[in-house]
Amino acid sequence: MSQNSADLPWKVRLFTSLFSFTFKVMIRRSDGSLNRLLLNFLDYKTSPSPDKPIDGVTTTDFTIDEDRSLWFRLYNPVFRTSTTDNEVKIPVIFYFHGSGFVCLAANSKLFDDLCYRLARLLPAVIISVNYRLAPEHRYPCQYEDGFDVIKFIDKSYLEVLPNHANLKHSFVAGDSAGGNLAHHMALKACKSELSNIKLTGVIAIQPFFGGEERTGSEIKLSRDPFVPMDTTDWMWRSFLPEGSNRDHQASNVFGPNSVDISELKFPAVLVIIGGLDPLQDWQKRYYEGLKKSGKEVYLVEYVNAFHSFHLFPCVPEFSLFIKEVKDFMQKQMSR
């Protein structure tokens, strides 16, 4: 990213510099632990707005399990004026936020702002899942939390979703670690019986995958401000079961310990990568693994996009990203 940082808006350059310094120096301790108290202090959280739409979208929080702080935020576009009988249905997206399984939340301002934009621009009803974090809660807690939300919606959708939400056009989506989660949610859905949800597609935004091998992009971009190699290694150590390595099936999904998905009815996948993202080689392998397994998959690459570019609407790739996601969704829903 540094080689093209001068081309970025100054706010983005400032944010990435501050994020990199704060995370490495103040939050991630030298012994490998996490300063959760400081992280929570610095992570600005937003409140829902159920009665007053913000940019045409209302938000409501629903708690599923207080003991494990499992909840989701529902983003509902309300700019439609259709009558009840002829109301146009819109898709539902189960969204999983990124940050390496270790930090931030569904109500962190960065992800709250993104979900507002997705709900308004696609448009779609967004269900943003707040899952437990590592290292306090390791694999498979995050996957269990995510799928428990999907099962809750499948069973109780009439109690929480607006009338214009179409569960027959449901998608799982996420960025970075959330993209990893989206893949594994689709995998779980393939092996489960959902009564009302029909999973139509997976939207993997710069998904966080890895392995023991060092790829060319990891080495070349090892000092990236968002996902440098030493930080991603630490994230995997914090998330994966103790004693396992990065070739675990959760991280290296087409590696030596992976699950064969060739016989599963896996939904179509959109993989979005950036040319300045250290994780791009693993993301390309994910795309290639899906193709070899006989799955419908599309790859979109933005040459000058850094990791987490989609969180910044001021970068030129953002509008292109929205169009690609919208086109993918419409293609899957038209079938």
Side-chain angles (χ1 to χ4, degrees), residues 87-334:
E87 194 164 35
V88 176
K89 299 286 188 177
I90 60 175
V92 174
I93 298 177
F94 293 89
Y95 194 86
F96 299 89
H97 70 82
S99 293
F101 302 104
V102 300
C103 59
L104 304 186
N107 58 347
S108 296
K109 183 166 175 55
L110 274 174
F111 295 113
D112 185 50
D113 288 349
L114 172 66
C115 288
Y116 266 108
R117 296 182 196 112
L118 294 177
R120 183 179 72 255
L121 297 174
L122 291 176
V125 172
I126 308 291
I127 297 169
S128 182
V129 180
N130 192 72
Y131 53 86
R132 286 172 290 177
L133 300 173
E136 296 90 342
H137 305 283
R138 292 175 175 267
Y139 167 93
C141 293
Q142 293 76 9
Y143 298 167
E144 293 171 346
D145 289 352
F147 204 65
D148 280 351
V149 171
I150 292 174
K151 290 189 294 185
F152 173 83
I153 294 295
D154 188 59
K155 180 180 179 181
S156 307
Y157 70 98
L158 290 174
E159 302 169 21
V160 296
L161 294 187
N163 290 333
H164 54 243
N166 186 356
L167 281 177
K168 300 305 179 185
H169 289 155
S170 293
F171 296 79
V172 286
D175 63 285
S176 196
N180 178 299
L181 272 160
H183 167 82
H184 286 282
M185 293 305 96
L187 194 60
K188 282 180 172 288
C190 288
K191 301 176 181 180
S192 305
E193 292 186 6
L194 298 173
S195 302
N196 297 293
I197 293 173
K198 180 182 178 183
L199 194 57
T200 311
V202 178
I203 304 165
I205 309 164
Q206 298 179 296
F208 186 28
F209 298 120
E212 284 297 294
E213 178 190 346
R214 295 302 187 194
T215 66
S217 62
E218 284 179 305
I219 296 170
K220 180 181 178 182
L221 300 167
S222 63
R223 300 181 65 182
D224 178 82
F226 278 123
V227 283
M229 193 158 55
D230 63 327
T231 295
T232 56
D233 284 355
W234 169 77
M235 287 173 169
W236 287 126
R237 287 195 301 272
S238 300
F239 166 68
L240 294 172
E242 292 193 29
S244 59
N245 63 27
R246 295 186 302 274
D247 281 333
H248 189 277
Q249 62 179 356
S251 48
N252 195 348
V253 293
F254 289 107
N257 303 309
S258 62
V259 175
D260 181 15
I261 67 169
S262 58
E263 299 301 318
L264 296 178
K265 193 176 179 181
F266 204 81
V269 182
L270 174 66
V271 185
I272 296 173
I273 68 175
L276 300 178
D277 184 355
L279 304 176
Q280 63 184 280
D281 286 349
W282 287 111
Q283 294 155 5
K284 291 174 183 176
R285 291 188 186 188
Y286 175 58
Y287 165 77
E288 292 162 359
L290 289 169
K291 283 191 70 176
K292 289 179 182 177
S293 299
K295 307 309 171 189
E296 181 183 355
V297 57
Y298 304 90
L299 182 70
V300 175
E301 180 176 6
Y302 302 117
V303 177
N304 294 318
F306 55 92
H307 192 78
S308 298
F309 77 92
H310 58 284
L311 297 175
F312 304 95
C314 55
V315 301
E317 291 82 5
F318 180 80
S319 59
L320 301 175
F321 153 73
I322 290 294
K323 184 180 185 304
E324 290 288 354
V325 172
K326 182 183 291 188
D327 289 348
F328 170 76
M329 293 176 66
Q330 289 178 346
K331 181 176 182 178
Q332 301 311 314
M333 293 186 295
S334 66

